[in-house]
Amino acid sequence: MHYDDDSVTTVAQSTEDGYEIVLRQRRRGDATIDELIVNGAFAMDSASTTSELLLAEAVGDQPGRVLVGGLGLGYTAEKLLADGATHVDIVEISQALIGWAHQGLVQPAGRLAQDERVTLHHGDAAWLLCHQPALPGLFGPWDSIVLDIDNGPDFLIHPENARLYTIEGMRSALSHLVPGGKLALWSQGPSKDLWFDFLSLDPGATERLIAVDRGNRKIDYAIYTLTRLD
């Protein structure tokens, strides 16, 4: 999100498989804000992390062993650890972003890369959850799954992620949980179709809307939570 009085510095950028990812720092007064831009589209920043933290909280106060789809800037995974997660497997599609975390270019991702309770995996979380995990050291089932891998079904950065935002994709994702385990999904806005699919899988599923100010715009992010019932 652009502000006229901001100065922006590109910290790192990379193009992988036709997708460009850029890590930027924006100076706004005395504050420094980290931003991720993917294929020219704003993905997230450190100015407002409320929804990232609430996403972690959505799986409850005993998250156990957790699979996180999408590293981002690291706020969700760090909150899961603070809430008592015993181990966090993070699957991130961008090798560059993993490398920037190991280099300490962005926090809290840099701290996660050094935490023995965390394993960073390079891979496609949507593909893995719709099929079977096949990465070294990645073994389910998990107590919790937390997904923030795209903007949601109505505004995809990676079109191939559409497979996850279907009833078949969500059913497959749930199969990677222990019985009674929870799955939480972030979306840039509410989706009626997704919500009805979730209710068909878990009548107790929840939808939480989080109002966020982005410059002169007000946006309602959505967090969906459902439980593996079988």
Side-chain angles (χ1 to χ4, degrees):
M1 191 63 61
H2 176 72
Y3 294 82
D4 291 339
D5 59 347
D6 293 355
S7 62
V8 179
T9 302
T10 296
V11 177
Q13 64 185 85
S14 177
T15 300
E16 307 168 74
D17 299 323
Y19 288 92
E20 182 186 55
I21 180 170
V22 180
L23 173 62
R24 305 193 309 199
Q25 285 190 337
R26 183 180 297 277
R27 293 287 300 175
R28 186 176 304 157
D30 295 330
T32 299
I33 298 167
D34 295 312
E35 295 180 338
L36 278 181
I37 308 297
V38 180
N39 269 3
F42 173 85
M44 63 184 62
D45 67 16
S46 59
S48 177
T49 61
T50 301
S51 66
E52 286 91 338
L53 301 178
L54 290 175
L55 178 63
E57 294 178 4
V59 294
D61 57 5
Q62 293 183 320
R65 186 165 169 263
V66 188
L67 174 67
V68 174
L71 169 61
L73 298 175
Y75 287 96
T76 297
E78 187 169 68
K79 175 61 173 171
L80 286 163
L81 292 172
D83 288 347
T86 56
H87 189 85
V88 178
D89 286 302
I90 303 174
V91 179
E92 169 56 48
I93 197 168
S94 171
Q95 183 66 68
L97 185 52
I98 293 173
W100 299 340
H102 281 294
Q103 294 171 46
L105 296 184
V106 60
Q107 301 295 347
R111 294 191 290 272
L112 294 173
Q114 302 301 318
D115 196 312
E116 63 183 11
R117 298 168 295 173
V118 176
T119 305
L120 294 175
H121 306 267
H122 177 221
D124 183 341
W127 191 92
L128 292 171
L129 290 172
C130 290
H131 299 82
Q132 289 294 322
L135 292 177
L138 188 67
F139 303 103
W142 289 271
D143 300 300
S144 307
I145 294 175
V146 176
L147 301 176
D148 183 1
I149 62 171
D150 214 315
N151 280 332
D154 301 320
F155 183 47
L156 292 169
I157 295 176
H158 300 280
E160 59 272 21
N161 285 338
R163 61 196 163 200
L164 182 65
Y165 300 101
T166 64
I167 191 167
E168 295 82 6
M170 282 298 136
R171 184 180 289 115
S172 179
L174 286 171
S175 74
H176 297 288
L177 285 165
V178 301
K182 291 189 177 297
L183 182 150
L185 173 75
W186 182 95
S187 175
Q188 70 145 11
S191 168
K192 184 181 295 185
D193 290 341
L194 194 62
W195 175 230
F196 287 155
D197 285 345
F198 282 171
L199 288 175
S200 71
L201 295 168
D202 172 17
T206 63
E207 177 188 62
R208 180 174 183 177
L209 301 184
I210 303 102
V212 176
D213 290 326
R214 288 288 182 191
N216 59 357
R217 298 176 57 207
K218 292 186 179 297
I219 303 171
D220 283 332
Y221 293 150
I223 294 175
Y224 295 95
T225 308
L226 60 163
T227 301
R228 178 177 176 178
L229 301 178
D230 59 340

